[in-house]
């Protein structure tokens, strides 16, 4: 029998996805990724910020079903408000669970978040972008919500500085912060905790007097990758809204053909 039929002027289409799977094994997540969606994010200085997110949407799939209905993910996103906060995120996940008749759903938004930064000496102003992300996992009506930011910093090697007659090797490092929290947590808080942990923040725009200041101040504050991850961990542990965190710091070494990294994770509250 074909995938569709016709009777009394009505076209009937077979629901192939609901057919029995040949291999009856459950799938943890099945869905779509690579969607692009305009979103509105809370901005501490301006109130709101408009940006664009890369979106992934998925659900669990029981063993007996052959497939899921991929178009329903896009329909759910189309009907979503685009306002990236806890309430609207929960609404999107609830809608996906209903549309896909699923037990659990996962949504991920990865987006650039822009802050205006002033150079340390000249005061020259320029936008800096930070890769941020929101993950939501809804299962049996319970939502787990994770907020994160990737923060670039500069690090100067303490060992190199101590043993060298001239200078020391320095490099850019990336701090990847993921948190769960209660109340409201600003992305700016995560970014500031990260930027304060390195030898120096990095900037989009530096004049000569700024470069001199950044170089000299960073060499007076050398940091191992271990120092950076501990400083970020302490900053998050001390934050009144943060309940759980994980931090990874990757140092893109300038004199080695590899990266150095360190990871810390707090005790899970659940």
């Amino acid at each position: 029998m074909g995938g569709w039929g016709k009777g009394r002027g009505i076209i009937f289409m077979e629901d192939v996805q609901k057919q029995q799977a040949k291999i009856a094994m459950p799938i943890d997540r099945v869905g779509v990724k690579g969607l692009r969606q305009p979103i509105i994010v809370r901005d501490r200085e301006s109130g709101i910020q408009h940006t664009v997110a890369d979106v992934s949407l998925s659900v669990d799939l029981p063993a007996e079903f052959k497939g899921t209905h991929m178009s329903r993910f896009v329909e759910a996103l189309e009907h979503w408000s685009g306002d990236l906060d806890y309430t609207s995120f929960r609404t999107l996940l609830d809608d996906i669970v209903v549309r896909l008749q699923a037990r659990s759903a996962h949504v991920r938004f990865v987006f650039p978040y822009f802050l205006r930064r002033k150079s340390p000496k000249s005061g020259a102003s320029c936008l800096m972008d930070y890769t941020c992300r929101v993950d939501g996992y809804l299962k049996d009506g319970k939502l787990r919500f994770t907020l994160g930011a990737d923060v670039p910093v500069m690090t100067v090697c303490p060992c190199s500085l101590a043993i060298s007659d001239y200078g020391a090797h320095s490099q850019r490092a990336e701090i990847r912060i993921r948190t769960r929290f209660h109340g409201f947590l600003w992305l700016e808080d995560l970014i500031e905790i990260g930027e304060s942990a390195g030898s120096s923040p990095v900037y989009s725009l530096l004049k000569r007097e700024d470069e001199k200041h950044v170089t000299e101040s960073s060499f007076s504050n050398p940091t191992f990758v271990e120092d950076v991850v501990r400083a970020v961990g302490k900053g998050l542990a001390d934050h009144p809204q943060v309940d759980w965190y994980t931090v990874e710091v990757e140092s893109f070494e300038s004199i080695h053909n590899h990266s150095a990294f360190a990871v810390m994770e707090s005790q899970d509250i659940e």
Side-chain angles (χ1 to χ4, degrees), residues 154-158 161 168-171 199 215 218-219 221-224:
M154 174 190 176
T155 60
V156 174
C157 177
L161 186 63
H169 77 83
S170 59
Q171 53 276 317
S199 297
T215 302
S218 62
F219 271 69
N221 182 34
T223 52
F224 287 128

Side-chain angles (χ1 to χ4, degrees), residues 122-192:
S122 70
S125 177
C126 192
L127 287 174
M128 275 277 295
D129 66 289
Y130 304 84
T131 300
C132 297
R133 62 190 286 164
V134 174
D135 282 89
Y137 178 60
L138 182 67
K139 183 176 182 180
D140 297 330
K142 186 176 182 180
L143 173 61
R144 175 171 283 190
F145 186 85
T146 305
L147 180 68
D150 297 344
V151 184
V153 296
M154 174 190 176
T155 60
V156 174
C157 177
C159 179
S160 177
L161 186 63
I163 64 177
S164 300
D165 292 330
Y166 303 101
H169 77 83
S170 59
Q171 53 276 317
R172 184 160 48 177
E174 186 173 74
I175 303 168
R176 302 171 189 129
I177 301 170
R178 308 289 182 261
T179 61
R180 292 198 289 273
F181 57 94
H182 63 274
F184 188 86
L185 179 62
W186 292 105
L187 284 167
E188 287 87 342
D189 288 357
L190 304 184
I191 292 167
E192 288 166 4

Side-chain angles (χ1 to χ4, degrees), residues 2-260:
W4 60 275
K6 188 173 183 180
R8 297 185 180 180
I10 301 174
I11 295 176
F12 298 98
M13 292 189 178
E14 186 178 359
D15 191 347
V16 179
Q17 287 91 336
K18 291 297 183 182
Q19 290 180 357
Q20 183 72 34
K22 291 182 179 179
I23 301 175
M25 296 178 68
I27 299 175
D28 295 325
R29 289 182 185 176
V30 56
V32 297
K33 61 168 56 177
L35 295 168
R36 303 273 283 177
Q37 176 73 17
I39 61 172
I40 301 170
V41 185
R42 296 292 179 268
D43 184 314
R44 191 169 65 188
E45 181 176 346
S46 304
I48 61 171
Q49 182 176 139
H50 294 265
T51 186
V52 177
D54 288 312
V55 184
S56 301
L57 311 170
S58 60
V59 294
D60 69 299
L61 187 67
E64 63 269 23
F65 294 136
K66 185 177 182 65
T68 194
H69 295 81
M70 299 295 184
S71 64
R72 295 180 186 178
F73 291 110
V74 182
E75 289 173 338
L77 193 61
E78 177 66 22
H79 285 84
W80 181 59
S81 69
D83 196 355
L84 194 62
D85 60 29
Y86 184 92
T87 301
S88 68
F89 212 62
R90 174 65 188 254
T91 299
L92 175 59
L93 283 159
D94 284 334
D95 190 23
I96 291 171
V97 166
V98 172
R99 288 177 185 269
L100 278 298
Q101 300 176 349
R103 181 184 175 191
S104 66
H106 179 261
V107 174
R108 173 173 295 162
F109 285 76
V110 180
F111 54 93
Y113 187 71
F114 293 89
L115 295 178
R116 185 161 294 280
R117 293 304 200 206
K118 288 187 177 181
S119 303
K121 284 298 182 180
S122 70
S125 177
C126 192
L127 287 174
M128 275 277 295
D129 66 289
Y130 304 84
T131 300
C132 297
R133 62 190 286 164
V134 174
D135 282 89
Y137 178 60
L138 182 67
K139 183 176 182 180
D140 297 330
K142 186 176 182 180
L143 173 61
R144 175 171 283 190
F145 186 85
T146 305
L147 180 68
D150 297 344
V151 184
V153 296
M154 174 190 176
T155 60
V156 174
C157 177
C159 179
S160 177
L161 186 63
I163 64 177
S164 300
D165 292 330
Y166 303 101
H169 77 83
S170 59
Q171 53 276 317
R172 184 160 48 177
E174 186 173 74
I175 303 168
R176 302 171 189 129
I177 301 170
R178 308 289 182 261
T179 61
R180 292 198 289 273
F181 57 94
H182 63 274
F184 188 86
L185 179 62
W186 292 105
L187 284 167
E188 287 87 342
D189 288 357
L190 304 184
I191 292 167
E192 288 166 4
I193 289 171
E195 287 185 331
S196 67
S199 297
S200 171
V202 299
Y203 300 87
S204 291
L205 175 61
L206 291 173
K207 309 298 285 184
R208 280 181 294 177
E209 58 266 39
D210 300 311
E211 289 191 17
K212 179 178 185 297
H213 172 81
V214 167
T215 302
E216 293 175 348
S217 63
S218 62
F219 271 69
S220 67
N221 182 34
T223 52
F224 287 128
V225 69
E226 297 93 332
D227 297 319
V228 178
V229 79
R230 285 172 173 146
V232 176
K234 185 177 188 308
L236 294 170
D238 291 343
H239 195 289
Q241 265 70 56
V242 174
D243 298 319
W244 169 90
Y245 65 84
T246 180
V247 182
E248 178 180 359
V249 181
E250 182 177 1
S251 177
F252 306 106
E253 298 289 284
S254 59
I255 65 170
H256 301 292
N257 190 30
H258 58 260
S259 293

